[in-house]
Amino acid sequence: MQGVGFRPHVWQLAQRTAVAGSVRNDLNGVTISAFGQAPALDAFVRGLKDGAPRLARIDMIEIEDIASETLPTDFRILQSDGMGSGTGIQPDAATCSDCLCEIADPTDRRFGYAFANCTQCGPRFSIIRHVPYDRDATTMSDFDMCDACREEYENPGDRRFHAQPIACPACGPQLWFEALGQRLDGVDPIVHAAECLKAGQILAIKGLGGFQIAVDACNESAIAELRRKKRRPDKPFALMARDLAQLQEYCTISKEEAALIEMPAAPILLLEAKPGGLAANIAPHQDRLGFMLPNSPLHHLLMARLEHPVVLTSGNISDDPQEIDNTRAVTRLQELVDGFLTHDRTIENRVDDSVLRLDRPGPTVLRRARGLAPASVHCAFVSETAPKVLAMGGELKNTFCLLNGPDAIVSQHIGDLKNATVFADYKATLRQFLSLYDFRPDIVAVDRHPQYLSSGYGRRLADEFGADLVEVQHHHAHLASCLGEHAGAGEPGDEVLAIVLDGTGWGPDKTVWGGEILKGNFSRYERIGGLIPVRLPGGDAAAREPWRNLMAQLHASFGVEMMKEVKPGELRTLLEGKQSAVLEKMLTDGVNSPLTSSAGRFFDAVAAALRICFDSQSFEGQAAMQLECLATPFLAEEEGYEIEIENGTWLSFGTLWRSLLSDLEKQQSPGRIAARVHLGFIDGLARVLENLGGEKDRTVVLSGGVFQNALLLDGLSSRCSERGLHVLTQSKVPPNDGGLALGQALVALAKAQRNKPSR
Ligand code: ZN
Ligand code: ZN
Ligand code: FE
């Protein structure tokens, strides 16, 4: 990979081990010719991996003997030739410790400089315009290197050798503070911004991949003001802490979690909150806080001047894409903020903050963006000569994927395509990727949903490129996404079991799927069980309004007499308020009420029964997240509700609802009820797997958006492991629809190869 300091690492290693030869980047990665005594060569090969730079990722080393008549006398870094398209596109990386020392050292020429970077850190993807990745191909081409920087840039022994974004205060980007359309002169922008934040002001800050909005995390009224202006009443805000020590005042963090939050990607990590300390309206009804550490010198310098963490959220208006352009940001965000801490380095590619959580099976990526995208997911089982596949992704939490041989390049999180500005951004970003990676698809993969905007656009692109169009069932794609991450797990063609718990997706039987037990591989699947379908009254409206799903569940369990089962009380009054002839017709005759097996909607129904977001949720997943949080303290001491299993593999909830309503009548605490539902649900699925003869070593895939629920993920994966099943969960791309495109690409390829076996 180019731009991670690998060639200088090889050069320095060659000097240390007295090996002669050369190193260059080419189409296949890095090719090294090395000549020396056998022990020296052994040490050299060992050092390639052991001392590799922190941004390098070595998928494979192949070694072969070279016959040569003339032996080289020194070791050289050669010009790259025929660079593989895209091999130079690295994710952005948080400031390294060497650069941090420099900006804190008053004798260093980069003291206090907000844009210091080196081969090991700094902007990459966010500034690249085209390939090959060198200075002129990035937005740093706006700045001419000074002599001092050029010397570092050209010296293979320097830690800034070929660091394309190299900069210093004399030649690089400049920072300023502006308010009310005026640039403030004569103030240190960082000092001034820190004072504004301390005074409770809301600021826009131009980060690595887009504008962010910052406010003091201890100032409840300032945060309330931001919520009001951003029209974001409940959705949790992310936070930035100065360092690990400050973060520990507010959250519990394990060693493994510390390692994740300190990775070069510097993601937002969801951590168990300690009581008190920060404003209560940062993450209402949540037991976790999403924290990140500074990811650029700008953030480090600012945080060093503040006593508290800050709320740091995307700089956008409601659901629009994050702002990246100076002029547009000032126009669009001025209603929201009191001032701008901004600069003149252009952001070419928008890339929002990534979100991770450490679960029992490993890290779960909830949003894959800054620091992670567009690093490829290596699918070793795909051959170099395989047809190229462009997969268009889903509708919500969209990402798309370019499958280029074994490298699956999954885009950064784009967002919800129903927002027109996001859809425009999706099309532009997709075009940008096709050009960056010089990618011409042979196959375009789309979701089967007839109304997904991504599917419609995919059909147009397939026409444009003369590519084959392959429709992929939504939950088959979730299965394949998880299987693909694990390099196909086992022999190609082996079938696995999959539990796909999801919001909703298009089913081939014209119903809405979302709680499926599948058996399959990349090229085929079969639905062998799941949640017994119930009505989805009002279609999409049911995803926003949990009460609709409660009605549907009660109707499915008890029929038209359902209200008799709900004892007089608050819930009964609420439900009667919603009862109408129209609704009854919807439930009985299925008018505008498709059948659905969605696990997401089942949990929405449970939330509504506990009066959580009964009327509506203000963001996707709100009800489920609150329910999960409520259940957590009671898991260890509770037992699950009984769930009936029909025909060995189909979950039915009549008994569960009867027990739940009876617990409500007994005024049992909502937390205990929530725990009993979670535990019963896990138990029901585990029993289905047993019924399927879950013999040892059988592989089970867990995917779908509902696995963002850590209780379900941890509980079900433990249960499966205890039974000797081989459990695969997602850790490289999200289990939600952010991981869909990877699965679509792999399914489409497998189908194409099955249809044309003689390649
Ligand atoms: Zn650095
Ligand atoms: Zn310079
Ligand atoms: Fe999905």
Side-chain angles (χ1 to χ4, degrees):
M1 288 292 184
Q2 203 179 4
V4 299
F6 195 71
R7 287 176 306 158
H9 158 64
V10 175
W11 183 86
Q12 282 155 17
L13 180 64
Q15 310 303 314
R16 278 204 307 278
T17 51
V19 161
S22 64
V23 54
R24 70 185 154 87
N25 289 319
D26 59 26
L27 275 170
N28 301 317
V30 180
T31 300
I32 301 166
S33 304
F35 299 89
Q37 300 299 319
L41 287 175
D42 286 345
F44 178 79
V45 171
R46 269 198 311 277
L48 283 178
K49 226 169 186 168
D50 292 349
R54 71 172 194 152
L55 298 183
R57 186 188 87 189
I58 301 176
D59 288 329
M60 192 168 40
I61 300 180
E62 279 180 86
I63 301 174
E64 55 188 68
D65 292 339
I66 314 172
S68 180
E69 287 175 2
T70 52
L71 294 183
T73 52
D74 59 357
F75 196 91
R76 293 180 184 198
I77 296 178
L78 302 181
Q79 280 301 334
S80 310
D81 65 22
M83 275 297 294
S85 50
T87 41
I89 306 174
Q90 293 296 315
D92 303 282
T95 315
C96 73
S97 52
D98 288 341
C99 286
L100 260 186
C101 286
E102 285 183 1
I103 62 169
D105 174 3
T107 65
D108 193 277
R109 69 191 191 90
R110 290 187 179 87
F111 175 60
Y113 185 51
F115 305 95
N117 65 77
C118 71
T119 356
Q120 298 310 309
C121 75
R124 297 284 188 278
F125 173 55
S126 61
I127 58 167
I128 194 164
R129 285 190 166 128
H130 44 86
V131 286
Y133 173 68
D134 60 30
R135 176 85 163 193
D136 284 341
T138 72
T139 62
M140 283 303 292
S141 64
D142 300 347
F143 305 92
D144 289 328
M145 262 182 240
C146 68
D147 291 343
C149 285
R150 181 158 297 282
E151 221 164 87
E152 296 168 335
Y153 181 85
E154 286 171 355
N155 174 5
D158 194 278
R159 65 186 197 84
R160 290 195 169 87
F161 175 68
H162 282 191
Q164 308 302 344
I166 189 171
C168 76
C171 69
Q174 301 298 315
L175 190 66
W176 70 87
F177 189 93
E178 72 179 73
L180 303 167
Q182 291 271 306
R183 229 160 126 150
L184 256 65
D185 294 323
V187 298
D188 179 326
I190 298 264
V191 173
H192 188 75
E195 276 161 14
C196 292
L197 286 169
K198 284 184 202 163
Q201 290 195 9
I202 302 171
L203 296 185
I205 296 173
K206 190 176 183 181
L208 271 177
F211 276 85
Q212 299 164 313
I213 296 179
V215 65
D216 181 353
C218 290
N219 191 329
E220 194 161 335
S221 61
I223 296 168
E225 171 87 352
L226 175 60
R227 285 204 177 278
R228 193 181 55 74
K229 287 180 167 168
K230 226 174 173 248
R231 277 174 273 149
R232 179 166 157 154
D234 313 293
K235 195 174 177 184
F237 280 134
L239 297 152
M240 181 176 276
R242 185 199 312 133
D243 51 29
L244 221 42
Q246 187 185 55
L247 188 155
Q248 277 165 327
E249 293 173 34
Y250 307 100
C251 284
T252 316
I253 182 165
S254 68
K255 245 195 185 149
E256 294 76 17
E257 287 171 326
L260 279 178
I261 204 170
E262 288 186 313
M263 318 190 278
I268 296 169
L269 189 67
L270 298 185
L271 294 165
E272 188 191 326
K274 290 181 179 172
L278 299 176
N281 53 352
I282 292 171
H285 308 294
Q286 296 300 314
D287 51 6
R288 298 183 202 246
L289 291 171
F291 258 109
M292 61 185 141
L293 296 176
N295 56 62
S296 76
L298 167 54
H299 292 104
H300 278 288
L301 293 165
L302 179 64
M303 294 309 296
R305 295 195 169 265
L306 296 171
E307 280 133 48
H308 310 139
V310 290
V311 160
L312 202 58
T313 185
S314 308
N316 55 355
I317 302 219
S318 44
D319 293 326
D320 280 356
Q322 194 180 17
E323 299 299 337
I324 53 173
D325 173 75
N326 281 1
T327 316
R328 205 186 123 95
V330 169
T331 332
R332 301 269 298 166
L333 300 179
Q334 61 180 353
E335 301 285 302
L336 268 60
V337 302
D338 302 300
F340 290 81
L341 180 61
T342 186
H343 57 78
D344 54 0
R345 186 176 70 203
T346 303
I347 298 171
E348 181 70 16
N349 299 300
R350 169 183 295 112
V351 57
D352 209 338
D353 297 314
S354 292
V355 184
L356 267 71
R357 188 183 56 211
L358 184 64
D359 295 318
R360 208 172 288 167
T364 301
V365 183
L366 300 165
R367 181 166 74 194
R368 189 173 177 275
R370 178 183 50 75
L372 299 174
S376 65
V377 177
H378 194 68
C379 301
F381 56 95
V382 179
S383 93
E384 293 281 352
T385 54
K388 294 183 176 195
V389 189
L390 167 64
M392 305 298 288
E395 182 96 328
L396 299 176
K397 296 186 167 70
N398 177 283
T399 66
F400 56 84
C401 174
L402 276 50
L403 182 65
N404 192 3
D407 289 323
I409 298 130
V410 181
S411 77
Q412 72 273 36
H413 167 85
I414 307 276
D416 300 351
L417 301 187
K418 277 190 179 142
N419 174 310
T421 333
V422 174
F423 187 49
D425 174 53
Y426 167 72
K427 291 188 277 190
T429 308
L430 207 148
R431 293 282 177 186
Q432 165 80 336
F433 269 66
L434 293 180
S435 136
L436 276 176
Y437 291 91
D438 190 18
F439 191 89
R440 224 192 128 80
D442 302 306
I443 299 168
V444 175
V446 299
D447 192 280
R448 288 186 72 156
H449 198 298
Q451 262 115 42
Y452 274 9
L453 291 160
S454 58
S455 304
Y457 191 54
R459 287 192 180 88
R460 287 195 2 229
L461 287 180
D463 277 350
E464 182 181 327
F465 289 104
D468 292 337
L469 185 84
V470 180
E471 292 185 344
V472 181
Q473 199 279 327
H474 191 95
H475 304 97
H476 187 201
H478 276 304
L479 176 161
S481 173
C482 188
L483 193 56
E485 268 196 22
H486 296 272
E491 295 298 310
D494 274 4
E495 294 203 336
V496 296
L497 288 175
I499 299 183
V500 184
L501 302 179
D502 207 23
T504 54
W506 185 256
D509 57 358
K510 303 260 165 70
T511 71
V512 180
W513 288 17
E516 315 309 318
I517 297 168
L518 307 178
K519 191 174 149 200
N521 53 25
F522 293 116
S523 64
R524 63 171 299 282
Y525 75 95
E526 186 188 346
R527 186 198 206 192
I528 55 173
L531 276 57
I532 288 188
V534 302
R535 295 275 167 213
L536 189 64
D540 283 352
R544 292 185 299 270
E545 303 179 7
W547 68 268
R548 291 175 182 266
N549 303 294
L550 177 56
M551 288 284 199
Q553 287 287 340
L554 296 178
H555 187 268
S557 303
F558 311 118
V560 283
E561 300 288 276
M562 62 189 198
M563 280 304 173
K564 284 195 184 144
E565 301 290 326
V566 188
K567 294 293 164 308
E570 198 188 335
L571 182 63
R572 167 98 161 253
T573 315
L574 282 170
L575 285 170
E576 280 168 352
K578 300 288 188 191
Q579 237 182 347
S580 68
V582 177
L583 185 80
E584 253 148 48
K585 207 163 166 47
M586 287 167 99
L587 291 172
T588 315
D589 302 341
V591 179
N592 188 24
S593 299
L595 284 168
T596 186
S597 52
S598 168
R601 298 299 82 82
F602 166 75
F603 280 96
D604 286 353
V606 174
L610 301 178
R611 276 95 77 212
I612 296 165
C613 307
F614 181 88
D615 277 306
S616 67
Q617 26 192 357
S618 73
F619 63 94
E620 197 215 348
Q622 184 183 10
M625 282 167 71
Q626 288 189 28
L627 196 66
E628 175 187 351
C629 176
L630 212 55
T632 307
F634 300 100
L635 280 185
E637 54 193 76
E638 285 299 331
E639 268 184 45
Y641 289 129
E642 199 197 319
I643 287 175
E644 298 135 88
I645 296 172
E646 294 182 15
N647 297 324
T649 53
W650 290 92
L651 270 54
S652 157
F653 299 112
T655 311
L656 177 142
W657 284 108
R658 208 174 290 277
S659 319
L660 190 155
L661 291 173
S662 139
D663 274 352
L664 277 180
E665 194 190 349
K666 291 182 220 149
Q667 312 224 315
Q668 197 54 269
S669 85
R672 288 190 189 280
I673 296 177
R676 289 170 188 175
V677 172
H678 278 88
L679 292 167
F681 195 80
I682 291 165
D683 185 64
L685 287 167
R687 273 162 47 219
V688 168
L689 291 178
E690 278 159 33
N691 293 346
L692 286 168
E695 65 265 30
K696 273 198 176 267
D697 298 330
R698 181 134 206 192
T699 301
V700 180
V701 158
L702 306 181
S703 188
V706 172
F707 280 110
Q708 292 173 104
N709 180 323
L711 302 186
L712 294 179
L713 180 66
D714 291 351
L716 201 55
S717 57
S718 310
R719 272 292 286 274
C720 292
S721 306
E722 283 162 19
R723 298 294 150 110
L725 293 164
H726 180 213
V727 187
L728 304 180
T729 60
Q730 307 230 243
S731 64
K732 293 177 184 161
V733 297
N736 61 45
D737 284 4
L740 204 64
L742 173 64
Q744 290 174 341
L746 294 170
V747 169
L749 179 67
K751 285 188 166 182
Q753 289 184 329
R754 195 184 56 174
N755 295 340
K756 294 174 203 159
S758 56
R759 276 191 69 87

